[in-house]
Amino acid sequence: MSIRIMGTGSCLPENVVTNDFLSTIMDTSDEWISSRTGIRERRLVKEETTASMSAEAAKRALTDAGIQAEDIDLIIVGTLSGDYVTPSTACEVQAAIGAVNAVAFDINAACSGFMYGVSMAYAYMKCGMYKNALVIGAETLSKVMDWNDRSTCVLFGDGAGAAVLALSEDEKSLGIIELEQGADGSKGMVLAGRDRMNNNPLVTNPKEPGYVQMDGQEVYKFAVTTVPESINRVLDKAQLKVEDIKYFLLHQANIRIIQSVSKRLKVPMESFPISLDHCGNVSAASVPILLDEVNKKGMLQKGDKIVMSGFGGGLTWGTCVLEW
Ligand code: UT7
C-alpha cells in the first residue's frame, strides 16, 4: 500500500493587487518589489475568509480526486490566520463541505504548515488509523500585516490550497517516499506577530497585539541553507538523486531564495515552478497552490518524482519526496 496525493485544488481571492497599485498607497515601486522578490501581484481578500477559501479549495481537490466529502476521515488545516480562535478552520471546512465523518483540526507551523500537515496525515495513514485525509494550507495574511510597514506588507498575499491523500493499491506509484520536518524555536523572533492582548486582572502591563514583523535577511539566510540541506537529507534517505526529480515545489517566499536553492543543488531553474509572481508569499498556502497549478496544467505524469519543501516562521521546515 502506498500513500498518494489523489487530487488537488486551490482558491484565490477575486481581487488582484499589483505592485503599481501598492506604489499609489505607500512609498514603494514595482521596480523595488519585483527586482528584490519576483512578486508582481498578489490576491487580497475583500469578502473571502480563511475558511471560505479553504472550503472552496477542498471541494476542488475532492472533485479532482473523485472522492465524496462524507468519505473523508481527516481534515488538517495549516494556518496562522484562521477566522476564529475556535472553531478551527478545519471544523468550519468540515461543516461547509459536509465531511460529516471527518476528524478536523488546525496546526500552526507558519509557512511549513501544509508540509507538517502532509507528514501528520501520512503518519495517521501509515499506522492504520485513517485511510484518507484532506490537507489544506490557507491564509488571510493581509489581516496580520502592518499596512504601514512597506518592508513586510508588500511581500504577502491571501489564498488556500488543498490536497487529498489516500491509501492506494496502485502498484505503478510509490506515492510518498520520504519526508522530514524540523524546527528551530531559538530563532523564532526573526518572524513574529503577537496575538490578542491578555487583560485578565492579574496582568499589569498587557502587551498590545502586534502585526507580523520580520528580519528579512535572517529569514533569507535560514532559508538558503536549511532548504537545500533538508532536500538532500530526504533524497539521501530515499536513495534518490536530484537528477531523479522532475520538479521542486518550494515555498514561494522570494525568487532569490529559489534561485539560491537551485544553484546550491545544481539544478536548473526550469525544475522550480513559480507562483509567487502572481500570488506573493501565501505562507502555508504557497506549496499546495503551486502543486495545484502544476497538476492542473498537466505538467505531472504518473511516475514523476517531485519534491515539496516549506520553510518559514517558527522557524520551521518540512520536505517530502513522492512519486506522482
Ligand atoms: O515565508 C518566509 C517569509 N520571509 C521571507 O521570505 C523573507 C526573506 N527575505 C527577503 O526576501 C529580503 O530580505 C527582503 C525582500 C524582505 C528585503 O530585501 P533586502 O535586500 O534584504 O532589503 P533590506 O531589508 O535590506 O532593505 C533595503 C532598502 C532599505 O532602505 P535603506 O535603509 O537601504 O535606505 C529599506 O528601507 O529597501 C528599503 N525598502 C523598500 N523600498 C521600497 C524596504 N521595503 C521597501 C519597499 N519598497 N517595499
Side-chain angles (χ1 to χ4, degrees), residues 98-134:
V100 288
N101 296 306
V103 169
F105 59 88
D106 291 356
I107 52 169
N108 178 353
C111 308
S112 314
F114 177 75
M115 298 311 305
Y116 269 51
V118 166
S119 297
M120 290 175 79
Y122 175 84
Y124 271 119
M125 281 184 257
K126 196 86 184 159
C127 75
M129 268 180 86
Y130 301 123
K131 63 181 187 320
N132 63 33
L134 189 51

Side-chain angles (χ1 to χ4, degrees), residues 9-11 50-62 72 74-80 89-94 97 99 104-110 112-118 121 133-139 159-165 282-289:
S10 60
C11 174
T50 304
S52 72
M53 294 186 289
S54 299
E56 194 50 47
K59 283 183 199 163
R60 293 172 187 172
L62 288 171
I72 289 292
L74 171 67
I75 303 173
I76 302 176
V77 179
T79 186
L80 58 79
T89 306
C91 282
E92 288 193 273
V93 170
Q94 189 222 27
I97 67 173
F105 59 88
D106 291 356
I107 52 169
N108 178 353
S112 314
F114 177 75
M115 298 311 305
Y116 269 51
V118 166
L134 189 51
V135 182
I136 300 169
E139 304 286 7
V164 175
L165 276 68
V282 206
S283 188
S286 277
V287 172
I289 290 172

Side-chain angles (χ1 to χ4, degrees), residues 169-197:
E169 285 174 2
D170 186 342
E171 283 167 10
K172 292 200 191 98
S173 169
L174 295 170
I176 293 174
I177 303 169
E178 279 293 345
L179 34 74
E180 76 158 28
Q181 300 156 271
D184 180 2
S186 71
K187 299 205 182 78
M189 287 304 139
V190 304
L191 179 45
R194 194 180 296 116
D195 204 358
R196 288 155 203 83
M197 187 156 93

Side-chain angles (χ1 to χ4, degrees), residues 28 32 36 111 150-151 214 216-217 219 251 253-254 256 281:
T28 190
W32 192 95
R36 305 250 172 173
C111 308
R150 65 178 182 170
S151 69
M214 179 175 71
Q217 288 175 8
V219 179
H251 168 49
N254 183 321
R256 292 188 301 165
N281 177 346

Side-chain angles (χ1 to χ4, degrees), residues 16-35 37 39-42 147 154 277:
V16 176
V17 175
T18 63
N19 293 346
D20 283 334
F21 173 79
L22 291 180
S23 66
T24 66
I25 57 168
M26 66 185 77
D27 182 13
T28 190
S29 64
D30 176 49
E31 204 284 323
W32 192 95
I33 302 170
S34 54
S35 65
T37 69
I39 299 165
R40 299 196 171 273
E41 59 188 42
R42 73 288 292 140
W147 287 91
V154 303
D277 56 337

Side-chain angles (χ1 to χ4, degrees), residues 259-276:
Q259 285 163 342
S260 168
V261 174
S262 136
K263 218 166 161 184
R264 284 171 196 235
L265 292 178
K266 300 191 176 62
V267 172
M269 274 301 281
E270 290 70 46
S271 303
F272 292 80
I274 299 297
S275 61
L276 60 82

